[in-house]
Amino acid sequence: MKIQQKIEGNVAKNCHPLALQKMIQKQIAYINNAGSIYGPKKVLVIGSSSGYGLSSRIALAFGSRSDTIGVSFEKGPGEKGLGTAGWYNNIYFKKAAEQQGLIAKNFIGDAFTDEMRCQVIDYIRHGFGGKIDLVIYSIASGIRTTPDGKKYTSTLGVRCGEFSGPSFNLESETLSTQSLSQVSDQQINDTIKVMGGEDWRLWIDTLREADVLAEGCKTIAYSYIGPESTYPLYRNGTLGAAKEHLHDTAEILNKKLMADINGEAFIAVCKAVVTKASAYIPIFPLYISLLYKVMKEKKLHETCIEQMHRLMFTRLYPAMGPVITDTERLIRIDDLELRADVQKEVEALRLKVTPANFKEISDFAGYLKEFNELNGFGFEDFDYNQDVDFQKIIELAKLT
């Protein structure tokens, strides 16, 4: 069979299991050429199959020779389809890491459950040396079922009135207006339950009580703040409320870890990049494409893997001295995005955007290329006309 890309709106409906290896190889090649990181040796990545979680795992494995455990909720091939891109990312990462003599254990399942926490702890004790020295929390989910069985669904919305703005439709490659409604207090609270820091705290508390965190263990979660132009949508909306809770959780965890094991907890504020999660946010993809255009022209652009290498090498594990943060204990790797000259040029371009010229005004082509590559499409050195043997994909999936 031949695998053709399918996009509905801004949602990728399939992936190319074989071409996804190109994406993993591309990130590994960057790390191999970027220089080594003095970092942790035993790492747990919760949310490890795509985006910043995957790039963190690659940066540490191939930059610091870290053994890693990855937890992700992905779907393999079967009667209903080829499965998700993250399923194959896990496989290709594991294969490449093991070829370098590294441990790369994948747990596929719901990270929100006590059962998954218990499985990971058991493996740390009996197959991973007994202790870990870094925990990365990078889950992007719209639904969470808590350990008491209650199900919560996040809502993308704003707190004060309706908000409208231009956004992409990647399927038709057009620009249209999208609106977000004002949300209720219940919707805000539910979004915090899903995307805030509660589950991160559960993970760290459980790992700490199980005595599998090494002395001086660090934990980090990823966040976004963005420029003032995105505040009505992001910072002042449900996403912002969840991020505020995440940031508060870091302070709670930091006090506990410091007292118990001389450990630390941090938030890394990242740059806007193309991820599966960001593609769902109305208005945001246009901002990213304008940002890409400006930052590429200024030679400041960074992808996920470039961000994670800089985070690990210059902020979380600098060659000398402590972790580098701002006055609020935030690790800022959005510094280049928020430079005054960058934001001034982005805003000037935004004012010129129309449905007729957005592809020329922005880096829409670059945005679309990165979006496609997340699912294994658009690589120039891959033959998409080749027939793919589904049975071989089934066999490949057994390697996870």
Side-chain angles (χ1 to χ4, degrees):
M1 64 176 178
K2 290 184 175 63
I3 301 174
Q4 302 297 323
Q5 185 176 23
K6 297 177 184 177
I7 298 177
E8 292 182 7
N10 283 7
V11 180
K13 303 300 289 186
N14 69 338
C15 68
H16 199 297
L18 302 184
L20 278 164
Q21 188 170 13
K22 292 286 185 181
M23 193 270 290
I24 299 296
Q25 290 172 339
K26 185 177 180 180
Q27 293 197 42
I28 292 173
Y30 175 81
I31 295 300
N32 286 338
N33 291 324
S36 60
I37 302 163
Y38 174 76
K41 297 307 175 187
K42 298 289 184 179
V43 180
L44 168 61
V45 185
I46 306 162
S48 60
S49 58
S50 64
Y52 280 126
L54 175 62
S55 293
S56 299
R57 200 178 183 192
I58 291 172
L60 289 167
F62 295 93
S64 183
R65 292 201 56 79
S66 304
D67 293 326
T68 62
I69 300 170
V71 180
S72 59
F73 191 55
E74 297 293 346
K75 183 179 179 182
E79 293 181 0
K80 294 185 178 181
L82 294 169
T84 55
W87 178 277
Y88 300 99
N89 292 341
N90 287 332
I91 291 171
Y92 293 128
F93 168 82
K94 177 182 175 69
K95 182 178 179 180
E98 289 181 344
Q99 286 175 346
Q100 295 298 313
L102 301 171
I103 298 173
K105 175 66 175 179
N106 292 323
F107 284 91
I108 309 300
D110 189 350
F112 294 138
T113 64
D114 287 337
E115 180 184 5
M116 179 57 74
R117 280 183 271 272
C118 289
Q119 288 180 29
V120 170
I121 287 169
D122 184 68
Y123 178 74
I124 293 170
R125 285 172 170 165
H126 300 107
F128 205 61
K131 301 280 186 177
I132 51 177
D133 46 13
L134 175 63
V135 181
I136 296 170
Y137 190 86
S138 183
I139 289 183
S141 175
I143 299 173
R144 175 183 173 220
T145 300
T146 54
D148 60 5
K150 293 182 180 179
K151 184 177 180 180
Y152 296 90
T153 302
S154 64
T155 302
L156 189 61
V158 292
R159 295 191 241 198
C160 300
E162 189 176 89
F163 179 78
S164 297
S167 192
F168 294 152
N169 182 307
L170 296 178
E171 179 184 8
S172 60
E173 298 190 9
T174 58
L175 189 70
S176 59
T177 299
Q178 278 188 290
S179 298
L180 292 177
S181 300
Q182 182 172 330
V183 292
S184 66
D185 288 344
Q186 185 62 57
Q187 287 173 313
I188 294 172
N189 291 334
D190 287 354
T191 303
I192 291 172
K193 273 284 188 179
V194 177
M195 305 177 69
E198 185 175 81
D199 185 66
W200 181 26
R201 184 175 177 178
L202 276 173
W203 267 99
I204 298 304
D205 285 348
T206 305
L207 293 166
R208 182 173 54 85
E209 290 165 6
D211 193 28
V212 295
L213 299 181
E215 181 74 13
C217 179
K218 293 181 176 66
T219 184
I220 189 167
Y222 298 133
S223 186
Y224 182 74
I225 293 177
E228 289 188 16
S229 62
T230 66
Y231 282 6
L233 165 69
Y234 202 94
R235 193 167 187 178
N236 299 331
T238 51
L239 292 177
K243 295 303 182 185
E244 287 174 13
H245 188 273
L246 188 72
H247 293 197
D248 291 342
T249 301
E251 294 308 302
I252 295 170
L253 292 176
N254 192 66
K255 290 177 182 178
K256 285 185 177 182
L257 292 174
M258 186 66 71
D260 289 353
I261 57 170
N262 198 31
E264 296 173 288
F266 297 98
I267 295 291
V269 184
C270 302
K271 164 185 175 285
V273 293
V274 180
T275 65
K276 293 179 182 179
S278 67
Y280 290 115
I281 304 173
I283 299 113
F284 207 61
L286 175 62
Y287 166 73
I288 293 175
S289 69
L290 295 171
L291 180 70
Y292 274 26
K293 183 177 181 67
V294 172
M295 294 191 76
K296 286 179 180 179
E297 289 175 350
K298 293 179 176 292
K299 302 188 184 305
L300 299 173
H301 177 64
E302 290 175 319
T303 61
C304 277
I305 192 64
E306 291 164 326
Q307 279 263 288
M308 290 303 97
H309 181 269
R310 185 159 70 96
L311 166 66
M312 301 300 172
F313 188 68
T314 69
R315 299 293 195 272
L316 192 60
Y317 295 98
M320 297 181 66
V323 177
I324 298 173
T325 68
D326 66 7
T327 56
E328 297 180 348
R329 288 193 64 258
L330 299 173
I331 301 176
R332 303 302 295 261
I333 50 171
D334 62 343
D335 50 344
L336 302 179
E337 172 185 354
L338 296 185
R339 269 180 30 174
D341 61 325
V342 171
Q343 286 301 315
K344 182 178 180 180
E345 292 186 31
V346 170
E347 181 62 13
L349 290 175
R350 187 186 68 82
L351 295 174
K352 298 177 182 178
V353 170
T354 70
N357 71 7
F358 76 94
K359 289 184 180 180
E360 290 73 38
I361 290 289
S362 72
D363 184 26
F364 177 79
Y367 182 98
L368 188 60
K369 177 176 174 56
E370 286 194 23
F371 179 84
N372 291 339
E373 287 183 356
L374 291 175
N375 299 288
F377 295 100
F379 290 101
E380 295 179 359
D381 55 347
F382 186 85
D383 180 12
Y384 289 96
N385 290 317
Q386 66 176 294
D387 284 320
V388 177
D389 186 338
F390 187 72
Q391 188 56 43
K392 288 185 177 180
I393 293 176
I394 296 294
E395 291 300 315
L396 176 66
K398 293 178 181 179
L399 298 176
T400 194

